[in-house]
């Protein structure tokens, strides 16, 4: 008799409750928590739907540009990886190294997407440099400062190849790279990360590696007070603020030094001697890029900085329209920069 009385209780705990929980989870999977167009949707149950940058292409030998590429794991426990690029003409001389950090609002894309793979292939082919493009962890599953930390780990991994007894084992780097000519670059959110990584390089030991330059493309900087033409587009202001709030919920706000370099007490320690900042006339981030140049000039940083304002262009125009005249001019400029042929005066 007692066994029969326990059956309803057994059914309740082992069948009814899990069924109700499953129904609740399913219901929450259709309820939106927030979305940031055109990047991401996040649902009440924690499901993340990325709206762009999810495509991938394998590493390869590009038959047109003769650029080799391959993937490698940097930190297995954190799932940090990178794609490496090398011109087939390597081994003739030691090459400059480009460290590239992709954009995507801190929450989308990867070095393995067609956009970034094709772009890095074109840069390596044009400039005749080696390149490493980092696959950092994405928000919101891994909120900032994860991407900053991952990109710094990549730099430390690169540093480990600059001397035989440092332990680096990647032959592409050991055999082909001139570690006195390392450059860092990034676009959009990647530009923000690139800046912060180079600031850290100015504060910490980098071994025999010398970061010679920083090349930023429409970098993602922001601030609490509106400047320039930002107030003309309240919708985009809301997008920019939403990106930071959800990418870095524990930041100090929109004037966090990692978002607004004007407030960074370590700005003068930026760990390179030359900077180029590209901005686009129709980009909501344009005025922040120009303000970044002014902030560097006002600080005690002992380097040279140049800004290029591309008329009529939109955010990261070179990635969206790589065959345009403006994009080709930018690629040419980038190649000169990576080979120390950029004229600042």
């Amino acid at each position: 008799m007692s066994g029969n009385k326990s059956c309803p209780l057994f059914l309740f705990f082992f069948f009814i409750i899990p069924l109700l929980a499953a129904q609740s989870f399913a219901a929450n999977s259709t309820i939106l928590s927030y979305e940031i167009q055109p990047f991401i949707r996040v649902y009440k149950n924690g499901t993340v739907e990325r709206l762009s940058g999810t495509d991938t292409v394998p590493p390869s030998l590009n038959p047109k540009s003769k650029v080799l590429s391959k993937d490698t794991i940097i930190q297995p426990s954190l799932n940090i990886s990178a794609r490496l690029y090398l011109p087939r003409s390597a081994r003739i001389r030691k090459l400059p190294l480009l460290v590239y950090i992709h954009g995507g609002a801190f929450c989308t894309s990867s070095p393995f997407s067609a956009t970034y793979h094709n772009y890095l292939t074109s840069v390596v082919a044009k400039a005749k440099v080696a390149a490493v493009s980092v696959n950092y962890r994405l928000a919101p599953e891994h909120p900032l400062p994860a991407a900053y930390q991952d990109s710094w780990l990549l730099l430390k991994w690169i540093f480990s190849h600059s001397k035989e007894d440092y332990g680096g084992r990647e032959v592409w780097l050991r055999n082909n790279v001139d570690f006195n000519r390392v450059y860092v670059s990034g676009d959009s959110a990647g530009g923000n990360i690139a800046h912060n990584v180079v600031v850290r390089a100015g504060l910490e030991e980098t071994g025999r590696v010398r970061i010679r330059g920083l090349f930023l493309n429409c970098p993602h900087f922001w601030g609490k007070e509106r400047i320039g033409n930002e107030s003309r587009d309240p919708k985009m202001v809301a997008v920019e603020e939403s990106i930071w709030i959800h990418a870095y919920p524990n930041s100090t706000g929109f004037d966090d030094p990692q978002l607004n370099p004007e407030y960074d007490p370590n700005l003068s320690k930026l760990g390179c001697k030359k900077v180029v900042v590209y901005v686009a006339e129709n980009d909501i981030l344009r005025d922040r890029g120009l303000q970044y140049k002014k902030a560097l000039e006002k600080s005690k940083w002992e380097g040279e900085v140049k800004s290029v304002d591309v008329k009529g262009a939109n955010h990261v125009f070179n990635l969206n329209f790589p065959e345009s005249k403006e994009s080709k001019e930018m690629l040419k400029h980038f190649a000169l920069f990576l080979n120390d042929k950029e004229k600042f005066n």
Side-chain angles (χ1 to χ4, degrees):
M1 295 291 293
S2 60
N4 291 336
K5 289 181 180 179
S6 67
C7 282
L9 194 60
F10 174 86
L11 289 171
F12 181 76
F13 280 105
F14 288 91
F15 292 98
I16 304 301
I17 288 181
L19 179 61
L20 292 173
Q23 291 175 339
S24 175
F25 185 87
N28 284 333
S29 68
T30 61
I31 300 175
L32 200 62
S33 176
Y34 68 89
E35 69 175 347
I36 307 172
Q37 289 284 355
F39 302 107
I40 197 169
R41 291 193 187 103
V42 179
Y43 295 88
K44 289 288 187 181
N45 68 350
T47 299
V48 176
E49 180 186 1
R50 290 187 165 84
L51 307 177
S52 62
T54 58
D55 66 305
T56 60
V57 295
S60 63
L61 168 60
N62 185 298
K64 182 179 180 180
S65 63
K66 306 299 183 184
V67 172
L68 293 162
S69 60
K70 68 176 180 178
D71 297 337
T72 189
I73 300 296
I74 306 300
Q75 178 57 265
S77 63
L78 298 177
N79 197 30
I80 304 170
S81 58
R83 179 158 289 182
L84 282 64
Y85 297 83
L86 196 66
R88 287 195 68 184
S89 59
R91 302 183 187 276
I92 298 173
R93 61 184 176 88
K94 295 286 187 176
L95 302 174
L97 176 66
L98 166 63
V99 180
Y100 196 83
I101 305 174
H102 71 81
F106 305 103
C107 63
T108 67
S109 207
S110 78
F112 317 125
S113 72
T115 295
Y116 285 106
H117 177 77
N118 293 338
Y119 178 61
L120 266 295
T121 296
S122 67
V123 172
V124 169
K126 181 72 172 178
K128 300 296 188 293
V129 299
V132 180
S133 184
V134 60
N135 187 38
Y136 56 83
R137 290 171 293 169
L138 299 175
E141 300 96 325
H142 304 284
L144 294 173
Y148 299 138
Q149 295 167 347
D150 296 354
S151 299
W152 179 249
L153 283 174
L154 173 79
L155 272 185
K156 289 181 67 178
W157 177 78
I158 290 170
F159 300 161
S160 73
H161 294 81
S162 63
K163 195 174 180 181
E164 282 192 19
D165 58 359
Y166 286 0
R169 298 181 178 180
E170 175 50 61
V171 294
W172 278 19
L173 297 183
R174 290 180 62 177
N175 295 342
N176 299 289
V177 168
D178 179 352
F179 290 98
N180 285 312
R181 294 192 293 161
V182 175
Y183 298 83
V184 179
S185 180
D187 66 277
S188 196
N192 173 292
I193 299 168
H195 157 76
N196 282 288
V197 164
V198 177
V199 169
R200 186 167 179 177
L203 297 169
E204 299 192 21
E205 178 60 43
T206 61
R208 294 178 61 249
V209 174
R210 295 293 175 267
I211 298 177
R212 294 177 73 94
L214 176 64
F215 194 99
L216 301 180
N217 176 17
C218 300
H220 186 120
F221 298 132
W222 201 245
K224 184 177 179 180
E225 301 297 328
R226 303 281 61 78
I227 64 171
N229 292 325
E230 290 174 352
S231 59
R232 293 183 182 179
D233 195 342
K235 183 178 179 180
M236 283 305 302
V237 168
V239 169
E240 295 304 323
E241 294 184 346
S242 184
I243 287 172
W244 185 250
I245 288 169
H246 292 105
Y248 202 168
N250 293 324
S251 80
T252 59
F254 299 125
D255 283 334
D256 188 300
Q258 294 166 106
L259 182 63
N260 189 346
E262 270 200 310
Y263 288 84
D264 188 352
N266 294 316
L267 183 60
S268 64
K269 302 291 177 48
L270 187 73
C272 67
K273 293 301 181 183
K274 59 180 184 177
V275 175
V276 169
V277 186
Y278 262 76
V279 298
E281 182 181 22
N282 299 329
D283 184 9
I284 187 72
L285 299 176
R286 171 187 178 272
D287 293 299
R288 294 291 166 178
L290 298 177
Q291 184 187 51
Y292 173 73
K293 175 181 180 288
K294 292 178 182 177
L296 271 178
E297 290 172 334
K298 289 179 182 179
S299 76
K300 295 181 180 180
W301 175 64
E302 298 177 352
E304 297 178 287
V305 57
K306 173 188 285 188
S307 64
V308 180
D309 189 355
V310 183
K311 302 301 179 184
N314 296 315
H315 186 63
V316 293
F317 61 92
N318 65 309
L319 298 177
N320 296 320
F321 304 100
E323 296 302 316
S324 70
K325 176 184 176 183
E326 293 78 10
S327 298
K328 290 180 178 179
E329 283 296 318
M330 181 179 177
L331 180 60
K332 180 180 178 181
H333 187 182
F334 197 9
L336 291 172
F337 180 84
L338 295 173
N339 285 281
D340 288 328
K341 296 179 180 179
E342 158 73 346
K343 295 182 180 179
F344 278 79
N345 296 314

